[in-house]
Amino acid sequence: MAFHSIKNVMSAFRSRTESPRVFDASKKIKALLPHDKKSAADCLAQALEQFPGHSSLEDMRHFLGQNRLQERLGELKTVVDEARRAYVQAARAFADTDNTTKAIEFITGAFKRFPECAELHLLLGEIYLRRWLDDLNVEDGALACECLERAAALDGTTLAARRYLAGFYARAGCFRKATELLSSLDGKSADEEENRYMRELGTWCARRVEDSAEEDLPARLGAVWDARAFAADCRDWARPRPPVFARCDMKGVMVPFVALEVVGRRAVDLPGVQAVVVQNAVRSETIRAEGCTVEPSTLEGVVRGVAAAASESCWRMKLGHAKRVDLKTSAGRANLVIFADSWTAVLFAPGVGDTQAAIVMQQFLDHVAEKLGEIHELHS
């Protein structure tokens, strides 16, 4: 009895493995795979119910699973790539505004999703570098260097990060690093004039490299801060462009002294204006409205002292350059605007409020812009 039972089981097994039906099912599934994966999967499920565990069917099940996994991973990669591009574009849009704080917050948050994105590190480096070039703040310089070094490490094909770093190290006085970077950039620019400039700058930096000198970045940045000047004057080379949609920073605008005098004479006719003081490092001029009793010498001394104190205070507190100063004095409200190498103060009559003063100051600055436009047209 036992012998016959075993014989029946072996006979059934032999007939199943040799049955052509499983191979017909396999053939049908393989024919459906290139054109209709869903129908192929349905046929496979039916075949596995009939022939559970058959190796050829299990192999196809594994293949279908891996194929579906790769498709979904491909779709995910596409979505992630699109999200990364969207984050970079949004970061650029933030960087093109004058809200630097929000731009830094957005990019820093984006690192949680894309910590290895070279473009985001480059954008953040540009923001900090721009601030360092404007204000020489040690912390901004260190952060700019960190971000740009990271961008260069993540993407060795981009020249922008290395170009910024070369200019940064030259300005900071790290001449050895500047020389190495400038050497690696030799001939890489599409602008031959820039290639020539980089070679000249590299030669200049190489002459200042001391074999025994420690190029400690914090110390170099501190020296630039104390001297209020860069170790190398690279002019505008390797300087990030200003934000496209930011308001104009008048602290960076060169306004001829004579132009400010002309604008000052027009400004004393504006409502509530008593006097306008125009000054630079060596000259001073006061234009008074009719009825103004304030002595020019006194007013000029106060304006010069306030301009110097504001600049020094901002420097000591590491706030960068002073740009605007609003004062309330016994003689009336005074609004000081500081340009690149000159400054001007508008003295208002007693009783002039914040709103009127703000409107008049905007009119004053508009007159300055119009005068600069006239000068530009004359020289074009």
Side-chain angles (χ1 to χ4, degrees), residues 109-318:
F111 286 142
K112 295 177 182 178
R113 291 178 178 269
F114 305 102
E116 304 298 305
C117 180
E119 293 169 284
L120 289 174
H121 286 281
L122 178 62
L123 271 172
L124 190 57
E126 287 179 358
I127 292 173
Y128 283 125
L129 179 59
R130 191 184 301 119
R131 295 207 316 190
W132 180 70
L133 292 172
D134 289 341
D135 299 328
L136 308 184
N137 186 284
V138 172
E139 183 179 359
D140 286 336
L143 289 170
C145 181
E146 179 183 338
C147 294
L148 294 172
E149 289 282 10
R150 182 66 175 152
L154 288 170
D155 185 359
T157 63
T158 179
L159 299 179
R162 283 189 287 160
R163 183 173 177 271
Y164 285 139
L165 282 168
F168 168 79
Y169 281 127
R171 291 178 172 100
C174 296
F175 297 123
R176 189 187 309 280
K177 291 183 178 179
T179 302
E180 292 172 357
L181 284 162
L182 288 165
S183 177
S184 71
L185 291 169
D186 189 17
K188 298 293 177 59
S189 174
D191 185 349
E192 189 52 41
E193 183 66 21
E194 182 180 25
N195 286 324
R196 183 189 63 78
Y197 176 79
M198 288 191 291
R199 284 192 290 270
E200 291 178 356
L201 180 60
T203 301
W204 187 88
C205 290
R207 291 172 180 168
R208 283 153 182 81
V209 173
E210 298 177 7
D211 294 336
S212 59
E214 287 290 334
E215 294 198 350
D216 179 67
L217 182 60
R220 297 288 186 175
L221 292 174
V224 169
W225 173 265
D226 292 337
R228 303 188 184 185
F230 298 119
D233 181 10
C234 299
R235 297 170 287 179
D236 287 334
W237 181 74
R239 174 186 286 269
R241 62 172 177 77
V244 176
F245 301 107
R247 290 182 178 273
C248 177
D249 183 1
M250 299 305 290
K251 183 63 183 71
V253 177
M254 299 288 291
V255 184
F257 192 88
V258 65
L260 285 177
E261 288 180 304
V262 172
V263 174
R265 294 190 185 95
R266 295 175 61 185
V268 293
D269 294 329
L270 295 172
V273 176
Q274 287 194 88
V276 177
V277 177
V278 178
Q279 293 180 336
N280 61 19
V282 297
R283 297 178 63 186
S284 184
E285 179 70 25
T286 299
I287 303 102
R288 294 189 296 175
E290 291 185 14
C292 178
T293 59
V294 180
E295 285 295 323
S297 59
T298 301
L299 186 56
E300 290 174 12
V302 170
V303 170
R304 191 175 291 280
V306 169
S311 298
E312 184 65 25
S313 296
C314 286
W315 194 267
R316 288 184 180 278
M317 289 187 289
K318 297 186 177 181

